[in-house]
Amino acid sequence: MRRGLLIFAFGMAASLFAGWYVFPRVLYVKKAQPLDFLHKTHAENSGVADCSECHTVRDDGTFAGLPTMEKCASCHSDRNGESKAETILVNDYIKPGHETPWLVYSRQPANVWFSHAIHVKRAKLSCSKCHSTYGESDQIRLYEVNRISGYSRDIWGHSILRLGRAPHEGMKMTDCEGCHRTHNVEVGCLGCHQ
């Protein structure tokens, strides 16, 4: 009886270790962004005071997402500083007219419809509500992509248990539902899903 209990306990511990520690490390691949982008440096040195100066909402209410090469070229047609990242930006993307192939941390699954305009303009939520203080950072995170789904780890969050996480860590449906409950906003399934 005691031997069986010991085997069961060892098997349970090994399974938990494999499931909660090994599997997530095998499931995700880490990739570097094409170049380092420093939000804080841009805000302090370029006078970019608000996220919406580069991440715009179009007139029709759709979100333009990441800035285009033309937006970057308006300040970086030539190098302004000495950084390696700016050299790469100017020589590899702006001068030849190529878009920077950014890896998008917050790309939602294909069946999700999300309106930045409704959340930022109508509800007056700050960008940091969902994206944390990333815009104030001078460190670019490694992009982690799920080998099976192809989506960023940021969709789920960095802890499968989701214990001790900050409100902005992960963008699961339950996170959206919790925010909607907090603000007394009712949305049916088709309000967010196609």
Side-chain angles (χ1 to χ4, degrees):
M1 174 76 173
R2 191 172 175 104
R3 182 173 180 240
L5 188 59
L6 186 62
I7 291 171
F8 174 78
F10 177 77
M12 178 66 87
S15 296
L16 289 172
F17 178 77
W20 296 105
Y21 185 78
V22 176
F23 181 69
R25 280 156 184 75
V26 171
L27 183 61
Y28 290 96
V29 176
K30 294 180 180 182
K31 296 181 177 182
Q33 291 286 359
L35 57 107
D36 287 340
F37 180 86
L38 311 176
H39 282 92
K40 186 176 178 183
T41 298
H42 280 79
E44 291 175 354
N45 298 343
S46 305
V48 176
D50 187 55
C51 302
S52 64
E53 290 185 41
C54 294
H55 303 282
T56 59
V57 175
R58 297 180 189 102
D59 292 338
D60 67 357
T62 59
F63 184 60
L66 298 174
T68 62
M69 182 268 304
E70 286 84 16
K71 178 72 176 174
C72 297
S74 66
C75 295
H76 294 282
S77 57
D78 287 311
R79 290 180 52 199
N80 297 327
E82 299 298 318
S83 77
K84 178 181 175 184
E86 187 180 25
T87 302
I88 293 169
L89 175 69
V90 171
N91 294 339
D92 294 359
Y93 302 108
I94 293 176
K95 286 186 177 175
H98 301 294
E99 291 295 334
T100 308
W102 296 110
L103 302 168
V104 182
Y105 299 103
S106 56
R107 182 174 63 96
Q108 293 293 307
N111 70 331
V112 175
W113 178 81
F114 180 85
S115 169
H116 276 85
I118 290 171
H119 291 85
V120 176
K121 292 190 174 196
R122 189 186 306 167
K124 307 251 187 273
L125 294 178
S126 69
C127 299
S128 63
K129 177 73 176 166
C130 298
H131 297 286
S132 182
T133 55
Y134 186 64
E136 300 168 14
S137 172
D138 251 357
Q139 292 182 346
I140 194 162
R141 296 182 291 128
L142 278 175
Y143 178 79
E144 295 180 78
V145 62
N146 184 306
R147 291 177 195 261
I148 297 169
S149 71
Y151 291 109
S152 165
R153 187 171 195 160
D154 288 32
I155 299 301
W156 178 273
H158 287 272
S159 168
I160 291 176
L161 290 174
R162 297 175 63 79
L163 298 174
R165 70 175 187 84
H168 61 272
E169 291 175 341
M171 292 176 268
K172 284 185 59 180
M173 187 170 93
T174 54
D175 299 323
C176 299
E177 290 170 335
C179 187
H180 277 239
R181 265 193 306 278
T182 301
H183 292 92
N184 294 319
V185 175
E186 291 289 326
V187 176
C189 298
L190 294 177
C192 304
H193 294 279
Q194 301 173 5

